[in-house]
Each structure stands twice: as structure tokens, then as C-alpha cells.
Amino acid sequence: MIEFKSMSVESAGARMLLNELNTTLISIIGHNGTKYVHYEEFAEERAVFIIGYVDGEPMCCAGLRRADDTTAEIKRVFARKNKIGLATMLMAEMERIAREYGYTRVLLECRDRNTHAVEFYHRVGYTECAKYGVFVNEDDAVCMDKYL
């Protein structure tokens, strides 16, 4: 049904999905959400960028980067609208990879105006936590975590 592959953020599929994510975020929150994204971090040790393919077509993506020795951060989560639960499968895969890399906690951030994302992350087991890192002074940031 879905096949996840580790890919470069420079790949055609990644660029296409990330452009769709950027366009979607601009329509929801007024900017593309890339201010604090450093794509090179997805190529570092204990980090990854994955794309989920359905019938050979890129349908979802996310990146995982090291926050500290026990904590990873999930960034650039995007799934095309569908009725087969791609986003839920994507998050399960990201968490599986995080555990495989030895992380015991994952963090993520979205904006309060992105209510669909906030509700989705709650549904898949994330809870709001203290703002971290660059998001401490971002009034509209919603920081969430999940212990694995």
C-alpha cells in the first residue's frame, strides 16, 4: 500500500511535496514555515528525510533531526489529502525510525492557526509541551512531544 523511502530533500519527489506543503502553509498561516528549517540537518547522523510512495507516486513526507542525544524533532510533515490515513502511517514510521535511532522522545512544532495539524497530532498521541529552542519567543507556536 505505502512504501517509505529515505530520500534527499533535493530529490524531485521531495521538492514537489515540500512545495505543496509551503503553498498549503501560506494559505493557512501566512508564511511557508521554513524560517527555522535547515534541510542539511536531515542528512546528518541519526537524522533522515522520508517520502511515502503509493503506487510509485510521492504522497507524503517528513524529516527527523537530532535535538539532543535522546530527543528528535520531526519537521516538514506533509501528506496529500486522501482517505487511507497516510499522515497517521507517516507519523508511525517517523516514530519507528526515531526509536531505531535510539531516541526516546520526539518533538514537533506547528502554528496555532493550523488547527487541522494541532488536532491531528493530538489524535496520534502528542501533547503540548513547553516551547523549545527557537520557538520560545514565537507567540503562535504550538510545541508538542511524545515519549516513545
Side-chain angles (χ1 to χ4, degrees):
M1 180 172 181
I2 187 167
E3 178 184 12
F4 291 106
K5 294 181 185 179
S6 173
M7 301 293 289
S8 165
V9 293
E10 299 298 323
S11 69
R15 285 194 315 267
M16 178 182 63
L17 291 169
L18 291 170
N19 284 336
E20 289 180 35
L21 170 60
N22 292 344
T23 300
T24 300
L25 288 176
I26 288 168
S27 72
I28 297 170
I29 63 173
H31 59 83
N32 65 12
T34 61
K35 181 177 180 181
Y36 301 119
V37 176
H38 304 285
Y39 288 116
E40 67 276 4
E41 292 180 323
F42 301 137
E44 295 176 356
E45 188 176 334
R46 296 177 70 202
V48 68
F49 187 83
I50 64 169
I51 297 176
Y53 293 86
V54 176
D55 297 328
E57 183 179 355
M59 294 294 289
C60 58
C61 65
L64 182 88
R65 71 168 200 90
R66 180 186 177 279
D68 63 38
D69 286 343
T70 60
T71 307
E73 183 181 21
I74 297 174
K75 300 185 83 67
R76 305 274 60 195
V77 176
F78 178 73
R80 289 181 168 165
K81 291 185 180 183
N82 65 83
K83 303 237 186 258
I84 60 172
L86 289 178
T88 301
M89 290 184 273
L90 174 65
M91 291 305 290
E93 179 66 4
M94 296 306 289
E95 293 163 12
R96 184 196 68 74
I97 292 169
R99 282 190 297 275
E100 182 179 293
Y101 287 168
Y103 297 114
T104 57
R105 178 183 178 224
V106 288
L107 297 167
L108 56 82
E109 178 275 337
C110 57
R111 299 300 163 137
D112 59 9
R113 287 170 288 189
N114 194 350
T115 56
H116 178 77
V118 173
E119 291 167 3
F120 167 74
Y121 292 130
H122 281 295
R123 278 196 313 273
V124 295
Y126 287 77
T127 57
E128 291 183 30
C129 64
K131 292 181 182 181
Y132 60 89
V134 296
F135 305 111
V136 169
N137 295 316
E138 296 283 336
D139 292 339
D140 64 340
V142 177
C143 294
M144 304 177 95
D145 69 355
K146 184 176 185 178
Y147 287 86
L148 304 174

